[in-house]
Amino acid sequence: SANMSTVRTTTCLRTFDGRLHAFEGCNDRDGCCPMNCTHVWNYAQAVASLYPELERGIRETDYGHNTTNEGKMTFRTLLPLIGERWNHPPAADGQMGTLLRLYREWRISGDTDWLRKMWPSARASLEFAWSPKNPHRWDLDGDGVMDGIQHNTYDIEFAGPNTMTGAWYLAALKAGAEMAEALGEKDKAAEYRARAERGAEGYARLFNGEY
């Protein structure tokens, strides 16, 4: 009930098309930090569990509006949805976490036809990690480990391998493999799984036996 109470505050709003949008929180007189911030709303579970259709609407905004053809996902939504996107480097944890939330919405609903509509954009957002069009060079060498510059929920840039964005990335690869397989893309599923396996080995090397 504590988590759901937030949806009844001015943190959240619905537009006339029925879609849910939300700030990160509220100040005394206005919302704080617009809107549907991907890395912040990675943490949220209540709406997806209790009102899954509302949560699916956010995924439709994420993939139908906020993701470019190259797969770059802006991590804040600008309202109204008239074509303009937030001009900021993508958030690595938010972009990978949104793919996990797509996986969650698919598993909760069982609606593979809906997943099929989201998938081209979602697939591009995952493969943006190793796309030469990604100037931040997350996984250009294909070893399953995020390198380069990774904007994230701490509002800073990580440089080089780390297990925070890395965990999101490995999970997104595994979820992507399951969705690709369900949609008949066996080669993609195998590619994502192989990359996740390489990444797991790579990230294990960050542990020195103590920390």
Side-chain angles (χ1 to χ4, degrees), residues 36-49:
N36 299 4
C37 181
T38 56
H39 50 67
V40 169
W41 283 82
N42 273 344
Y43 320 141
Q45 302 292 333
V47 175
S49 297

Side-chain angles (χ1 to χ4, degrees), residues 49-67:
S49 297
L50 296 174
Y51 299 102
E53 289 187 11
L54 289 180
E55 189 70 43
R56 287 199 298 274
I58 302 175
R59 298 294 80 72
E60 290 165 12
T61 302
D62 291 331
Y63 290 115
H65 180 76
N66 285 339
T67 303

Side-chain angles (χ1 to χ4, degrees), residues 25-106:
C26 288
N27 295 315
D28 288 343
R29 298 190 179 188
D30 53 17
C32 174
C33 306
M35 287 299 296
N36 299 4
C37 181
T38 56
H39 50 67
V40 169
W41 283 82
N42 273 344
Y43 320 141
Q45 302 292 333
V47 175
S49 297
L50 296 174
Y51 299 102
E53 289 187 11
L54 289 180
E55 189 70 43
R56 287 199 298 274
I58 302 175
R59 298 294 80 72
E60 290 165 12
T61 302
D62 291 331
Y63 290 115
H65 180 76
N66 285 339
T67 303
T68 68
N69 291 335
E70 292 77 22
K72 174 186 173 182
M73 176 183 288
T74 185
F75 67 88
R76 296 190 189 279
T77 299
L78 296 180
L79 294 178
L81 300 176
I82 56 175
E84 188 179 4
R85 295 189 183 99
W86 185 269
N87 185 22
H88 193 282
D93 52 348
Q95 183 150 331
M96 296 301 123
T98 300
L99 195 86
L100 287 171
R101 289 183 284 153
L102 176 68
Y103 176 74
R104 176 189 63 192
E105 271 65 88
W106 170 55

Side-chain angles (χ1 to χ4, degrees), residues 176-198:
E178 288 200 28
M179 291 186 284
E181 189 156 25
L183 295 173
E185 297 184 1
K186 306 293 185 183
D187 291 345
K188 288 291 185 184
E191 176 188 350
Y192 300 160
R193 287 194 180 100
R195 191 176 289 257
E197 289 173 5
R198 292 194 297 273

